[in-house]
Amino acid sequence: MDQAELTTDQVLNRDIPWETYMSTKLISGTSLQLLRRYDHRSESQRAQLLDDDGPAYVRVFVRVLRDIFKEDTVEYVLALIDEMLTANPKRARLFHDNALADDDTYEPFLRLLRKGNWFVQEKSCKILALIVSVRPKNQSGAASNGETSNEKKPFTSIDDVLIGLVKWLCEQLKKPSHPTRGVPTAINCLSTLLKEPVVRSSFVQADGVKLLVPLICPASTQQSIQLLYETCLCIWLLSYYEPAIEYLATSRTLPRLIEVVKSSTKEKVVRVVVLTLKNLMSKGTLGAQMVDLQLPQVVQSLKAQAWSDEDLLEALNSLEEGLKDNIKKLSSFDKYKQEVLLGNLDWSPMHKDPIFWRENITNFEEHDFQILRVLLTILDSSNDPRTLAVACFDISQFIQVHPAGRIIVTDLKAKERVMKLMNHESAEVTKNALLCIQRLFLGAKYASFLQV
């Protein structure tokens, strides 16, 4: 059978020749007794054995992986450990028990990560990540996982483990060992490990951030939603680390996150993206970029939905306030542009300010008259009388102030759109539609006396 398709249950059905290993002195008599007591027992019986003497069993497992290299046996012991930790993740603390002080607990898993088949690599990665994540707080970045002595070679340090894991995880993201499970396994482990400062630093140095960006895209299936969630969780953890933020600011991360949050209905995905955007908003030009990408409009839409998570609602409110502060910092034309792009116009002072129009009229030429085109689109799409009235007025201002205003607006087929609004039920709309038509027909020279 292909090792990549092996399941834990299939491996645990094997009979391992423990007596042979004892006769060749690869395991001790005590280890044999423990293994025979544990082997092929029910989950409840194994749980009881672990409750009674957990460190002794873990020590035997680690020593078997240290001393025995036969693939069937290695897979079997990894499956035992995986089953043990899946049933109760808190058992990972057993690997840090004082009873294992003389054992290099990390070394077998780190070695197997580099040399084993996919089943071995996947289990080793999962187990190692869990063991590392529950290590004692006094085990700092440079500490080992046991006591070293002058007679023995130094134990594998926690830094060695974390850097080794990052290297393997980046390799999986670049060229997965398994076509469907390589990337999800790597992302799952990273979403736990990126809480570690050493991992963040190593991951950024290994150029790992760019490997995450293509995975930030709308998802539909359950598996792809989980992968998207864990990828966004990684980005959120990196949003606390300045060197990572520098890369996030210059990549396609922001538009991708906004696209995901617009299309996702999964609350946990929306929450982690909103929290990430909230973190990034105050960094450099990212706040202004968010405004340019029409995030204020997206936040308004999200707030209108029925979310049950209070943390998400609080984060949305905080994000909205932050975006408002960013808009306040923009230049007058930037503010105007945002108002138009959001599609909600009101009689803010700039609309009737002759200085604003004189100073910014050439800005309307940007991106092939993008803002003027959006104003004309609003005439077709908006149902709000105030927005329609202000749009008509602004188009009339463009006609009056821009040297080629009449010609440009005529070429963009504005006349027909404005004419339709002449019979609008709102007097405010008809008044400004009339002004626009008069300026369009008469030209700036003769229409300058027409005021609202």
Side-chain angles (χ1 to χ4, degrees), residues 428-445:
E428 185 182 22
V429 175
T430 55
K431 177 182 177 182
N432 285 284
L434 176 62
L435 174 71
C436 189
I437 290 296
Q438 286 173 328
R439 285 181 173 170
L440 189 60
F441 285 156
L442 297 174
K445 183 179 175 183

Side-chain angles (χ1 to χ4, degrees), residues 9-10 55 64 75 135 155 250 310 389 396 405-406 416 451:
D9 287 342
Q10 287 167 337
V64 169
E75 289 168 356
R135 71 185 186 279
F155 281 174
T250 56
E310 288 185 11
S396 74
R406 277 181 75 203
E416 296 80 359
Q451 297 296 327

Side-chain angles (χ1 to χ4, degrees), residues 126-244:
K126 183 180 172 184
I127 294 164
L128 200 49
L130 192 51
I131 296 171
V132 164
S133 69
V134 299
R135 71 185 186 279
K137 287 184 179 176
N138 61 0
Q139 201 180 101
S140 65
S144 65
N145 59 311
E147 297 297 325
T148 60
S149 71
N150 293 330
E151 291 124 32
K152 297 178 184 177
K153 71 170 187 176
F155 281 174
T156 309
S157 76
I158 187 63
D159 274 5
D160 291 338
V161 175
L162 294 174
I163 292 166
L165 265 170
V166 168
K167 185 180 176 187
W168 184 82
L169 294 168
C170 287
E171 284 167 3
Q172 291 306 307
L173 293 175
K174 287 176 191 166
K175 192 177 178 184
S177 301
H178 187 280
T180 58
R181 301 214 307 258
V183 170
T185 297
I187 293 294
N188 178 261
C189 284
L190 275 169
S191 67
T192 302
L193 292 170
L194 280 167
K195 296 166 189 167
E196 305 271 353
V198 174
V199 173
R200 289 180 196 173
S201 169
S202 301
F203 189 67
V204 171
Q205 284 172 22
D207 219 6
V209 185
K210 76 174 183 185
L211 303 173
L212 297 177
V213 178
L215 301 174
I216 308 169
C217 55
S220 53
T221 66
Q222 195 56 48
Q223 289 94 334
S224 60
I225 288 169
Q226 186 60 24
L227 178 61
L228 172 63
Y229 168 68
E230 289 176 352
T231 302
C232 293
L233 195 56
C234 291
I235 299 291
W236 174 65
L237 289 166
L238 288 165
S239 72
Y240 289 94
Y241 184 57
E242 286 298 330

